[in-house]
Amino acid sequence: MRGQLIVATPDLLDPNFSRTVVLILEHSPEGAVGVVLNRPSETPLEDGMPGWALLAAAPGRVFVGGPVEPAAAIGLGRVPSSRAGSSEGRPEPLFGEVCSIDLGSDPVLRVPDVEVVRFFAGYAGWGPGQLDDEVAGEGWFVVDRDDGDVFSGAPEMLWREVLRRQPGPLRLLSTYPDDPSQN
């Protein structure tokens, strides 16, 4: 699942994950780690990560990456594959054009290497086998990511957009109402 998205099913009611789209950063027998892509906080990136606002993807906010270690920060950036890793010090892609951002690096020095960034406070984490069990229990849909999902300028629409581009029944779920009783 590394590099894929997990999309919460409409039945997943856990408030931490209801209607979320999570990018899986690591998945192994020891567990899984990801970040929620569609939960911007009220904190402007300039307040949370001074100096990086110049490269911030709209809406220019720190995102709530998940309920685990909310004081921890994870940074992701987009590096065109033509520039990624081609010389010492340039970021290596995690997958596609998505790379991790060294939080200790100088944003001014990163401008030629990184087109856009997004920072997450906290992350989503699962113990050994836990995410696999949740997927098997139909709590999540596993779908391919588009690198643009990570930096979406309309994160509030990402759950619907990701489902809408899927084939078959998943596409239909993109119209699932927030409150089915209002349907």
Side-chain angles (χ1 to χ4, degrees), residues 1-182:
M1 277 188 252
R2 183 180 186 274
Q4 290 185 293
L5 300 177
I6 57 171
V7 180
T9 67
D11 296 332
L12 183 60
L13 301 178
D14 177 336
N16 291 306
F17 296 110
S18 177
R19 300 274 172 135
T20 59
V21 177
V22 179
L23 173 64
I24 300 299
L25 301 173
E26 274 304 322
H27 184 251
S28 72
E30 289 78 42
V33 173
V35 289
V36 176
L37 297 179
N38 59 331
R39 292 266 168 89
S41 73
E42 294 299 316
T43 305
L45 186 60
E46 187 60 40
D47 291 354
M49 301 297 296
W52 286 100
L54 173 69
L55 296 172
R61 304 239 173 243
V62 174
F63 277 58
V64 178
V68 181
E69 294 190 46
I74 294 175
L76 298 177
R78 181 179 334 157
V79 179
S81 56
S82 62
R83 292 191 303 210
S86 59
S87 71
E88 189 171 325
R90 289 196 175 162
E92 289 289 334
L94 294 170
F95 23 77
E97 294 182 342
V98 178
C99 67
S100 64
I101 297 295
D102 175 1
L103 300 177
S105 65
D106 184 339
V108 174
L109 298 177
R110 285 284 157 234
V111 172
D113 299 329
V114 179
E115 289 182 338
V116 66
V117 297
R118 177 148 291 155
F119 288 93
F120 302 87
Y123 60 91
W126 294 266
Q130 184 182 3
L131 181 56
D132 298 317
D133 290 345
E134 290 181 16
V135 168
E138 300 180 358
W140 299 98
F141 303 118
V142 180
V143 302
D144 291 333
R145 82 172 187 291
D146 178 288
D147 287 346
D149 297 334
V150 179
F151 309 102
S152 172
E156 67 283 353
M157 298 300 298
L158 193 59
W159 186 84
R160 291 187 192 286
E161 288 175 8
V162 169
L163 288 174
R164 189 174 299 126
R165 71 174 186 244
Q166 304 307 311
L170 287 184
R171 181 183 183 93
L172 294 174
L173 285 175
S174 71
T175 62
Y176 198 89
D178 292 337
D179 182 355
S181 69
Q182 299 296 312

